[in-house]
Amino acid sequence: MADGARSLRGGGGGGGSTGGGGGSPASSPLLGGRGRAAPPLPVPLPVPPGHGFRRVTLTKPTFCHGCTDFIWGLAGYQCDVCNFMSHEKCLKNVKIPCSCIAPSLVRVPVAHCFGPPGHYKRKFCTVCRKSLDSPAFRCEVCELHVHTDCILFACSDCRQCHQDGHQDHDTYHHHWREGNLSSSARCEVCKKTCGSSEVLSGMRCEWCGILAHAACYIIVTPECTFGRLRNMILPPSCVRLYSRNFSKLHCFRISENLQTEPDEDDDFDGSTQGSAKDVQISTDSSKQTLKIFDGNDAVKRNQFRLISVPRIAKNEEVVEAALRAYYINDDQQEYELQTFTQQALLSDDVINRNDALEDSNMGSVFRESVPDAWIIRAKPKDEEVIRIYPAWLKVGMAYISLRVNKDSTTQTVIKDVLPLLGRQTESIQSFKLVEVLMGSKQVQRMVLDNQELILNRLKDIRKTSIRQMNQTRFYIVENSKSIVRVNLFVGGLPPQLSAEEYTNILKDELAIKTNVVSLTHVYQAQGAVVLEISCFSEAERIYMLVKDTTVNDKPLNSVVIPEVMSSKIPQNCCPLLVFVNPKSGGLKGRDLLYSFRKLLNPHQVFELTNGGPLPGFHTFSKIPSFRVLVCGGDGTVGWVLGALEEIRHKLVCSEPSVAILPLGTGNDLGRVLRWGAGYSGEDPYSILISVDEADDVLMDRWTILLDAEEPAEGAENGVAEPEPPKIVQMNNYCGLGIDAELSLDFHHAREEEPGKFNSRFHNKGVYVKVGLQKISHTRNLHKDIKLQVDQHEVELPSIEGLIFINIPSWGSGADLWGSDSDNRFEKPRIDDGLLEVVGVTGVVHMGQVQGGLRSGIRIAQGSYFRVTLLKPIPVQVDGEPWIQAPGQIIISAAGPKVHMLKKSKQKQKKTGSLREVRTDSMSVTEGGR
């Protein structure tokens, strides 16, 4: 690009805000506050506040961020700060604010939850608007994508997913996020295409998914109703979580082992990386590349930005370029550049980067040689205007502009602000001034001392970091006794102990302080407790200590649990509790975790490898009506159903309906309930719609009592004791003999090389291999067992395998019972209270059944079974195999039937542009994964 012909610079940021995130102030309910007006433009073209547009000559086609069409030649304008490109004709329609004022437009500061760096194709950085060609970060809760070097400049405008005692809102507004839409996305207002895969364009609400052009979204009604999924989303106003000392990863239970990015407090040179990307070391002899630091903190961490300026440049030109590098659009006259030795660059002088004098009459610009590194410093002021935000007081005003001088203290500021808020009759002792740093990864709050001089505080912030000053606000807050209540789930404890015994264990192992820690819930059968902690530092200490603690050689685990205020849940709301097993289905489980956190409230999505199902059921224990979605194989479904059976007496909704997203190998239960043979990348939004429209059906569950009569070896005093009885739950089927033997061999192969078992295709190949190895073996199972059905002895034919089936699908979809009519038996159903007993003659017979050529040998149908084992025999229940010692196996119905969700046969109704939003933006098969 050539140098600009003219510059159009907008004014400073306005006082409005969006519904929690970046966007135009026109969508904010807080408009009308006392904010200073933008200064007049130098040319009669309407330019949004903050943009520094400059006409540029384009040597190659570039896309307009407004209309997404090509710009060519002299027809383009570019923002010097955020790289926004526009036709001259589109300037009047530009509504997107510049990145430099984005922090001033945040309604409620909420930090982001960044995942590990990755490669994301056809995605664009929200800060600099450039494509993500190199590894970049994305937020696990919202759709923010950002370069590694831009992460420090991203403002804290993530979705507000819970109340934390600072900002409590019952009405939610659209949370707009710009760009990264599919090219087929359509505007909800004008119905025209608003997305682009070539440029950051278009707006999307991250709660309801509504799409709109940047010029159209400002006329959309600000209140958000959460869209098509409103009845499935856990409303943020119903969730409370005190999370001051916990990272967003801890709050949303996101596995830390995936977090490889450096922390914002670590000494990594992210700015250096970015500057190398944005500003190449100039080979032009007329230009010089300089290192620019924005304060003492950047110097300490060696985090600098690179700028390229002419070797002969005026002071204000260099200062302006340095401010642009840090996304600051203030008047350059208010800043100066200093060397590391605090030698200031003289005002209005000309820098000669060849270390020679441009004009012998001007004298040397520096007292010493010109260095290559500089620090931006704000010039001292005797007075300035600051903004005081009263948003937490709900006064319907964005902010108050207040002039302060060298004598102004925190107390005088509060005294001056209260009359402007209509609260002049109240005591200033009832209020405090809170400094808030809105970092992208963490929102930090600090209460200012009443006698602290405001100008000195501003000077200290700017000296530390000019960037941080741009991300700092001052809030006036009412003094109130803060109630700290952190709920911590601790699992892995010995089962079947009393509350007092658990307290003693925690005292011994974790040294808990009983004056601030109490046990509110005890789950004896699972060996878990829930702690309520009234001290942030104690909560953090316990959480971190649990990770390194073992009890009886078993590691403990801890999970931060939110509090769900069930009284606030709308009457027609039935939130969906989502469990995902990330180890199922290769990497698909991880992708689904990411997608469901975006589509729903992250507090209703639980990773099963982090504490199991119990933390999720405890979180939803007071909700009057909810549904469950289990993402995993048949074993995962059985795990969740078993946990539900154990805890249902503690749930207000004791019989939630359960849907399945099959991620395993067989997925027989998922097939029966029409959820398919396995997940293959379908749109997660469509899956949630299918769950919402699914039919409620009942399914039998069965209890299997394993009573081994063979004595255990190594008993004391030489007296043999029998093995204690064991109880397992069955949902699908139970197999004895060859069926279980194949499952056991597969299980052993997976334990030896678990890394290879990450796809259904490979898993089935291993099944075939172990089956071929057993094809020549002869077994006489009918001679080694005895069967009794409903108190009647049943004579067994010559078989090698005996299978009890509860559902009409076995071995990855095979119909073992068959469809032929038989007057001896009733037609099988999953809710008839009966099990079907089928025999197979060997591996060949099993292969024929799975190929649809034969069915099994029908033996019996009943509701109570007793199997006598005369020798050790392989047994498997729902795919979990083992060798069972001689003894008795008793199978009977297990309590009440479980409510399952069966996918509706009805054709899915079209949901218009909203569905296109999710199909285009949330599919885990999207490019870049």
Side-chain angles (χ1 to χ4, degrees), residues 255 557 580-583 590 593 606-613 639:
S255 297
N557 59 79
V580 181
N581 187 348
K583 295 183 178 180
R590 294 285 180 194
L593 275 169
F606 287 78
E607 185 177 343
L608 285 171
T609 54
N610 191 7
W639 182 17

Side-chain angles (χ1 to χ4, degrees), residues 33 69 114 145 158 283 300 339 349 354 359 387 407 457 472 484 667 717 762 791 851 861 920 925:
D69 289 337
F114 290 108
H145 291 74
C158 193
T283 58
K300 173 185 173 182
T339 68
D349 279 338
N354 289 317
D359 189 333
R387 295 177 178 180
D407 297 323
R457 182 58 194 157
T472 298
V484 178
N667 302 316
N717 303 323
H762 178 269
Q791 310 298 329
Q861 191 179 50
D920 294 333
T925 58

